[in-house]
Amino acid sequence: MAEPRLAVRRKSRSSSERKRSRAPVQPVAASSPVARKRPSSDGEGPPAEALCSNDSEEDMFGDYDSFYGNDSLIAQVDDVEHKYLQDENMDVKAAGEVVPGNLQSGVHQKEQDNFSASQNVVVLKSDKEGACQMQDSDPADGNQKLTESILDDLPSSQLLYFEKMDELSSASRTSPLPKGRDERVDSFSDKIRDPLSFCAGAEHRNRPIDSSSHSKCVLFKSESLKDHLKSAMTGNARAQTLQVSKTKQLKEAVLSEEIFVARKAIESSSLDIGPFYGLPSKVKDLFRQLRGIETLYEWQHDCLMLESLQQRKNLIYSLPTGGGKTLVAEIIILQELLCRQKDVLMILPYVAIVQEKVRGLSSFGIELGFLVEEYAGSKGRFPPIKRRVKKSLYIATIEKGHALVNSLIETERIDDLGLVVVDELHMLGAGSRGAVLEITLAKILYTSKKTQIIGMSATLNNVGDLQKFLQAEYYTNNFRPVELKEYIKIRDTIYAVDSKTENGFTFSHLLNFKYSSNLEKADPDHIIALVTEVIPKYSCLIFCPTKKNSENVASMVCKYLKKEFRAHKEKEKQDLIENLKSIGNGTVCPVLKQTIPFGIAYHHSGLTNDERKSIEEAYSAGVLCLLACTATLAAGVNLPARRVILRAPYVGNDFLKKSQYKQMIGRAGRAGIDSAGESILIVQEKDKHLVQDLVHSPLENCYSNLLLELTKGIQSLLLSLVGLKIAVTCEEVDNFVCCTLLGVQQQLLSKEKSLSEIIQDGLENLIEKGLLKGRISEKDHNSKSTLTITPLGKAVYKGSIDLAYCNILYRDLKKGLQGLVLESNLHLLYLSTPYDMTSTCSPDWMIYLRQFNQLSAAEQKVADIVGVPESFITKKASGQAVRKNVDNAVVNRFYLTFVLYSLLKETNVWSVSEKFNLSRGYVQNLLSSAASFASCLLHFCEELEELWVYKALLTELTKQLTYCVKTELIPLMEVAGVLEARAKQLYNAGYKTLAHLANANPETLVRMIEHLSQRQAKQIISSAKMLLSEKAEALQEEVEELLKVPTDIPGTH
């Protein structure tokens, strides 16, 4: 039965308090005799202690005492049997009928509870214990009470099974024993011994059963039930079984059965689909244990119960930031993985969010038996490994998600993908990344009628267009767990945002803070006054227009704060500084060193990944109470605050968009902590009218970017359509493009040319570039002439290469073959340096010359080969005029290659950024982009035979660029969320391999690793277990594939 509609209450509880709560019994169960007979169990009492602590050493026979009473299990069965055999009105056959229904299930259930109690899993309360005590004078009655008591602790799905057995038993008392009753009783017995038999999959159903471990039960022979039971138990004891605890087997059996019941319920399209929205009750327990989520918000319940979801229609849903959208998506994902047994793709906007989600869901994967695979940066297999048993959750960035979908279409496996979830659906309107997302979704819609698409966002306006594009239903709600109060500040006056008034604002209050003349000059916007109203007791975010401004604001605030602020969590702040020092190899940013003692830091893309992660963790833990940040934080990881201040209505030099404003203020108010959240936008008089429009205007519309982003948009789409054989004639291409968001919005976006003309121009351009073959003309545009892709075209779309650079790239790689210098990796690094970063590079010519002079003779030869003469750099460094015609893009690219070359030699972002006078964030971004581009380059070269030599070289280089650490740290850095500083700590503490980490104890890890919380330790261990499981599964798949007997062996038919 679905959950009741209750408001969410999140609270952290100690493990001792977390008791498994049984799901409510379904209506059909409530009316059955078994359900009616169950006694209530409201009494409190100490838990019953298990008498047997070691499963493997139990004496199962003879004088073994049941923990429910003093009679041995076999003696009780013997007594019951004799009682009925002595009844003069009951013949032997009738006596046989009485036992199986209730008694047999009771015996098996008793075995189950013995297993559970021996592992201290089920806690029996005193009144239950009393109910379970059997009196010598009435063993049959005692057994009945035992059965009733045990039923109280079972999930509803298992109760249904016992009720069915009970009904069969009742029916059999008045009719002869039907053929196969033996097998039914024994089938359940087999299930207790083999938990996997609950699974509905053919691989379990068709598995041959070992007779030694499954003794056949013949109840109606002359042999007594006591003898039979003894014989069956002896058979079980002798059977060779895996060294797994019985408690674990039983847990797996119950979980498998609940999944089976839920899957069957979903297949029957029932709205009432099981204990927790069609999922086993264990999922509910995991949300409680891992997330502190007790119950769902009412809107979440309503959304999950939507008829459109039950019918597997596509869905778009929209709620304000912090409303709990992700939880709904996660429940739908688990339904797909566990109940429908299909793979799932989750598309997220940024690498950091992908890694955070991989860490968060790995624990669920370990517990529930599915794989979590990361597709971000240079990580991910194409096509993904086809798993025989476990299903996969692919968590991907937009670009990697597109490449994954392409590979599934190409291998005709797109129908394996049961669900695609897109977070931040409004990204469809965001430049080239929006174009890639649109192409991905359009391909899924066109090639698979079985794949469901779920899109969510906090900032959507023209939903009608998106609904038409995705053929989706729409659900929206204005729910926020914490009330948001919006204010604007002009001079020293605070106004509340009020749409009911004429100008949109109403007076709230004047700032009550005395400023000295010096402070007034330093802080004319009264940021310190606004901040000190909330910190250090509560947290605060200040969004600044630029990176430099965020650093300045952090410095300015801490200069004028009182000394008392330093005392708040002083030790933890000192630990944070030490941690940052170890990240920077002994160096800490001077600004952070000054601000952190006051609980203040800045947060922007200029920080390294390690620094950013440390600052985010310190803020979440309350060590830092104020972050001065840029707009990227609003779109990134979830860091809420009591008060959010917008320093100015600008992002860089551009005026704030409504969607950006909504995302920033959406960070105000923390569920379960704050009663309300506040946002204050600081406005200068000159911007007052613009801000009035901003606050009260609707959200921006989401428009297709396929036309604006020509090479990454429409041309890229056309190339892959032909390459994947989705559409190979002009008519088919036209039909496909009409199904995109561009097709829906064509009258708005393509006024000068018709869509057919745009498609024709695009195809002709691809033929000119040598990427497609075929003939196109206006006359035969609607003809059936077929287009084909060239080897170069195939390499371009498989490598996800931007069409703007594909021909230059091919030329550079061919030129490299003529004289590839392998004395160092400089030449290969140049070929792997991203083209799109050259435009943002401004070389420091003195540094350029210094680096050039440090090259060996062979490396200087590389400069000549690529076209960067020494004379050119010398003249530039000395300020002389340069007459020689040199390609600036090549010169800039080679300068970036120097940066990468230094990074691979020194593996220290700090020292390299100082050497080249670049920000740490820029250097790290260059490294990430180069790793991703090298991965694309590898896929490109794999498709062209003439470039075979690059394959092995690029495989190793991609790995070096991805991790940029000493070789011994790479296995640890493969784990999601383990960055360089953490990998060094783990390695030095003796955790040197993936297996070490996967088998680590969280408490020991916390004790041995500085600045590591219990939650982080558990996440790291879960991620390591997931990665290890993934690698083991891949090897197992390979073994099975090798050993598989071919079906087409000559002479076998």
Side-chain angles (χ1 to χ4, degrees), residues 3-9 277 295-301:
E3 288 292 294
R5 306 181 186 192
L6 295 173
V8 152
R9 286 184 294 279
Y277 301 99
T295 49
L296 302 190
Y297 294 129
E298 189 174 351
W299 83 262
Q300 290 171 326
H301 171 82

Side-chain angles (χ1 to χ4, degrees), residues 951-970:
K951 284 188 233 174
L953 296 169
L954 284 167
T955 303
E956 189 54 37
L957 184 69
T958 303
K959 204 170 188 179
Q960 288 179 16
L961 288 168
T962 300
Y963 301 110
C964 192
V965 291
K966 290 175 182 172
T967 313
E968 64 264 24
L969 297 180
I970 288 177

Side-chain angles (χ1 to χ4, degrees), residues 224-268:
S224 75
L225 182 61
K226 171 184 171 180
D227 292 338
H228 159 70
L229 189 56
K230 205 164 185 177
S231 155
M233 290 167 79
T234 307
N236 281 346
R238 285 175 184 163
Q240 288 187 355
T241 56
L242 291 170
Q243 294 300 307
V244 180
S245 80
K246 292 168 188 170
T247 305
K248 187 175 179 186
Q249 286 185 350
L250 190 59
K251 275 179 157 182
E252 287 173 2
V254 173
L255 177 62
S256 299
E257 191 218 1
E258 287 193 348
I259 289 172
F260 171 67
V261 170
R263 198 184 306 153
K264 285 293 177 193
I266 284 178
E267 284 169 8
S268 66

Side-chain angles (χ1 to χ4, degrees), residues 454-501:
I454 307 283
M456 51 181 168
S457 174
T459 53
L460 286 178
N461 190 29
N462 55 331
V463 179
D465 287 354
L466 301 182
Q467 275 186 268
K468 199 171 176 184
F469 164 44
L470 295 176
Q471 301 152 38
E473 303 284 314
Y474 180 56
Y475 176 87
T476 187
N477 197 305
N478 291 322
F479 173 81
R480 266 186 64 93
V482 177
E483 183 192 357
L484 173 62
K485 296 175 181 175
E486 289 179 57
Y487 299 99
I488 69 158
K489 176 193 159 299
I490 303 172
R491 295 196 184 92
D492 59 351
T493 309
I494 306 288
Y495 297 92
V497 174
D498 186 355
S499 55
K500 294 170 188 171
T501 59

Side-chain angles (χ1 to χ4, degrees), residues 362 366-367 971-972 974-976 978 986 990-1002 1005 1017-1032:
S362 287
I366 295 293
E367 293 290 332
L972 299 175
E974 286 180 334
V975 177
V978 175
L986 291 165
Y991 297 95
K992 299 187 177 184
T993 66
L994 189 58
H996 281 149
L997 213 47
N999 293 291
N1001 178 286
L1005 208 58
K1018 285 179 178 175
Q1019 281 194 339
I1020 286 173
I1021 292 167
S1022 290
S1023 298
K1025 279 181 179 172
M1026 178 56 67
L1027 188 58
L1028 199 63
S1029 168
E1030 223 175 278
K1031 291 189 172 192

Side-chain angles (χ1 to χ4, degrees), residues 902-914:
S902 295
L903 268 173
L904 289 190
K905 281 202 291 189
E906 298 176 34
T907 68
N908 186 335
V909 172
W910 267 90
S911 61
V912 172
S913 61
E914 284 174 11

